[in-house]
Amino acid sequence: MDATSSGRPLQVAVFCGSRPGRDPVHAALAKELGQAIGGRGWRLVYGGGHVGLMGIVAQAVLDGGGQVHGIITQHLVGREVAMPGLQKLDVVDTMFERKRLLIDGSDAYIVLPGGFGTVDELLDVLTLKQLDEHRKPIVLLDSTGRFWAPWLALARHLVDEGFAGPSALALAAEAADVEAALRLAEAAPGTAELA
Ligand code: AMP
């Protein structure tokens, strides 16, 4: 089992859509990611829902005998429906609290395709890293090569226009397959604040 320097399993946050998306390739990638996280004995930290890519990743980790820590708001327990069978489910009051626990409680962030919520979570970990508030790996995982392309174009545009330094482009890494994403995710383990 891969582990952090403290001996506990790596805790990987996965940010992804609460919908499956139009292209089934994203759901297949989410399942493969969950299986790989479970297979390595790592712990998934995620938004706690059973819907969309979120539910697919979590179910795949559970099916592989892995550990899943969900963090959801009371409000979303009704709307997203919390995933059954998780080893740990925190129900918090606000989205801010949820994001803070997701961010602080993880050693690395893997971002699958998703919608506004996923992009919001990506921007949070990027901007905190830009301000040196953490140094954890951020990995954009996309097997199509086209899902994150508009985001990467926007990031380059912000640099070209002088609103971000060139080093901003190195805040997140890109991965086209699960193995590459996991290698990047374990690059700097052991920094999560929560057990
Ligand atoms: P989405 O990518 O929009 O499907 O959302 C993915 C996850 O982000 C879900 O767990 C949503 O509950 C969550 N989410 C949606 N909107 C926000 C937001 N404004 N801030 C933080 N999380 C959000």
Side-chain angles (χ1 to χ4, degrees):
M1 175 192 293
D2 292 279
T4 61
S5 52
S6 65
R8 64 161 173 75
L10 199 77
Q11 300 182 167
V12 183
V14 174
F15 302 142
C16 60
S18 57
R19 298 172 180 227
R22 196 160 281 147
D23 188 338
V25 80
H26 301 315
L29 185 66
K31 184 172 179 182
E32 194 188 333
L33 177 62
Q35 286 170 336
I37 290 172
R40 276 174 169 69
W42 292 359
R43 190 184 211 197
L44 170 70
V45 183
Y46 87 117
H50 90 294
V51 289
L53 297 189
M54 299 170 71
I56 291 169
V57 176
Q59 191 60 57
V61 177
L62 291 174
D63 289 347
Q67 298 276 316
V68 183
H69 179 187
I71 303 161
I72 196 164
T73 59
Q74 187 61 54
H75 177 67
L76 281 178
V77 166
R79 273 181 57 179
E80 271 179 23
V81 190
M83 181 90 186
L86 303 184
Q87 285 82 6
K88 187 172 178 192
L89 181 67
D90 287 328
V91 182
V92 297
D93 287 333
T94 68
M95 291 300 267
F96 289 114
E97 208 181 334
R98 183 196 202 202
K99 273 199 296 192
R100 176 50 67 187
L101 291 178
L102 283 168
I103 291 170
D104 289 350
S106 310
D107 300 302
Y109 312 102
I110 296 178
V111 192
L112 282 169
F116 285 5
T118 302
V119 171
D120 175 73
E121 290 160 344
L122 168 62
L123 277 168
D124 253 332
V125 292
L126 279 174
T127 50
L128 289 170
K129 192 170 180 178
Q130 183 174 242
L131 297 172
D132 293 324
E133 291 207 20
H134 75 82
R135 298 173 59 195
K136 302 175 192 178
I138 302 169
V139 184
L140 293 168
L141 174 56
D142 170 22
S143 60
T144 70
R146 63 176 166 69
F147 184 83
W148 289 116
W151 160 256
L152 296 167
L154 177 60
R156 280 192 293 272
H157 172 68
L158 300 180
V159 172
D160 289 346
E161 290 290 330
F163 288 105
S167 61
L169 298 177
L171 292 170
E174 295 157 58
D177 61 63
V178 166
E179 284 308 311
L182 296 193
R183 268 198 308 277
L184 290 162
E186 65 187 342
T191 46
E193 288 169 17
L194 303 177

